[in-house]
Amino acid sequence: MPEYLVNLPRQRNVINIDFPFHFDRYHRTASTSDENHHIRDLIEQLLFTTPGERVNRPDFGCGVLSLIFAPNSPELATAMQITIQASIEQWLSDLIDLQMLEVTSIDASLYIVVEYFVQSSGESQTATFRTTIP
């Protein structure tokens, strides 16, 4: 490598694809507006992906959607809290520090509240997700 290229700062051209996938007004792949939105999208994908759904990552996901036919109960919420915490620590620990995770079952809904610290920006964020279980 030529010497004049060695000391150049590396530019990082990264596009954070928005979730769910769609196109922007210029008919290109839509990207998220900021990193915090992108991290929330990553958490949502992790929660609602069933293990075995991704071909090259068979252990990715929490399987919240696989609870569609499971009876809703406080025990189910506790089991899901442990599963979700383990998945977040495994897959997103390089981006966030999990501060608080609360999974509650109210009537036919499962509410998931994730409070986390974004490592790159130093900000605390909270994301709330809900799924309905019959």
Side-chain angles (χ1 to χ4, degrees), residues 11-30:
Q11 292 183 354
R12 192 172 159 203
N13 295 329
V14 176
I15 180 172
N16 294 326
I17 298 174
D18 200 11
F19 178 78
F21 183 81
H22 62 279
F23 297 104
D24 63 9
R25 63 184 175 142
Y26 301 110
H27 305 287
R28 297 180 298 200
T29 300

Side-chain angles (χ1 to χ4, degrees), residues 30-49:
S31 62
T32 58
S33 56
D34 63 351
E35 185 180 18
N36 292 333
H37 183 80
H38 178 64
I39 290 175
R40 188 196 183 286
D41 288 349
L42 291 175
I43 294 170
E44 184 176 0
Q45 290 178 48
L46 181 65
L47 290 175
F48 297 111
T49 299

Side-chain angles (χ1 to χ4, degrees), residues 44-55 57-68 80 87:
E44 184 176 0
Q45 290 178 48
L46 181 65
L47 290 175
F48 297 111
T49 299
T50 303
E53 187 177 331
R54 299 240 174 140
V55 176
R57 297 204 186 264
D59 54 342
F60 180 84
C62 294
V64 171
L65 290 181
S66 65
L67 301 173
I68 297 284
M80 280 312 302
S87 292

